[in-house]
Amino acid sequence: MAGKKLTIVFERADKEGGKFKRLPTRREMIAWIRAAIERPAVLTVRFVGEAEGQDLNARYRKKDAPTNVLTFDYAHKPVAQADIVICTPVLVKEAACQGKSFREHLAHLIVHGVLHAMGYDHETDEEAEKMEALETRIMKKLGFANPYSDRARAH
């Protein structure tokens, strides 16, 4: 929501092979975040490589592999506070496998992570349906296709 106060920090720790993957502009990523926030928010979005992504996923989710996005949500109300960690190499691989652009898949992962920061989850079928429907509405509003139109694309 455009009128909600947002404090955002972007961090890069995803240098692969001596260089960074080019990201969309800060302005564009902030627009994606604003489309998903429902209340004031203080967020950090950190882009990481496979080693850090795997370490965080193993340490906090007991899954010994990097994942596309992790949200560490510290508070949902009155101000949402969270760190959103995006593993750039996983994002690149998934986008290629799913026939999506890097930009489109990144927008979805950012929206997904922000919704977790707002308190949404997908642990049960009911929660997943609600969250996926909201993600789909937000992505369409941003000009992107339904990220769940092909069930094989769902994570």
Side-chain angles (χ1 to χ4, degrees):
M1 300 181 126
K4 302 296 180 200
K5 182 167 173 41
L6 173 65
T7 302
I8 182 81
V9 173
F10 291 100
E11 296 178 353
R12 297 295 306 263
D14 60 340
K15 204 174 224 182
E16 299 286 328
K19 60 183 178 178
F20 288 112
K21 171 76 175 162
R22 184 173 167 84
L23 295 175
T25 65
R26 176 181 169 84
R27 171 180 268 165
E28 187 170 25
M29 291 188 289
I30 289 172
W32 300 338
I33 292 166
R34 285 198 177 283
I37 64 172
E38 299 174 338
R39 67 188 59 84
V42 177
L43 305 172
T44 296
V45 178
R46 180 175 172 83
F47 295 91
V48 301
E50 283 192 52
E52 185 174 349
Q54 182 167 347
D55 178 58
L56 290 170
N57 205 25
R59 194 174 339 159
Y60 295 102
R61 295 182 64 225
K62 308 298 184 229
K63 296 183 180 185
D64 194 22
T67 190
N68 53 13
V69 62
L70 293 167
T71 301
F72 298 93
D73 51 334
Y74 310 113
H76 297 143
K77 294 181 181 179
V79 176
Q81 298 176 17
D83 293 330
I84 300 168
V85 179
I86 296 174
C87 186
T88 309
V90 172
L91 162 61
V92 168
K93 288 175 194 169
E94 286 181 350
C97 287
Q98 296 172 13
K100 295 179 182 178
S101 70
F102 173 85
R103 181 178 164 272
E104 179 179 18
H105 196 40
L106 175 57
H108 179 223
L109 295 183
I110 286 176
V111 166
H112 185 88
V114 170
L115 289 179
H116 277 304
M118 296 294 118
Y120 291 91
D121 213 335
H122 45 82
E123 293 297 317
T124 67
D125 288 345
E126 185 178 311
E127 288 175 334
E129 286 176 20
K130 183 177 181 179
M131 188 170 174
E132 288 176 14
L134 183 53
E135 287 174 78
T136 299
R137 281 195 305 274
I138 293 167
M139 292 296 288
K140 284 183 178 181
K141 181 174 143 186
L142 291 169
F144 295 105
N146 176 350
Y148 296 106
S149 60
D150 174 3
R151 294 313 299 173
R153 295 180 180 193
H155 72 279

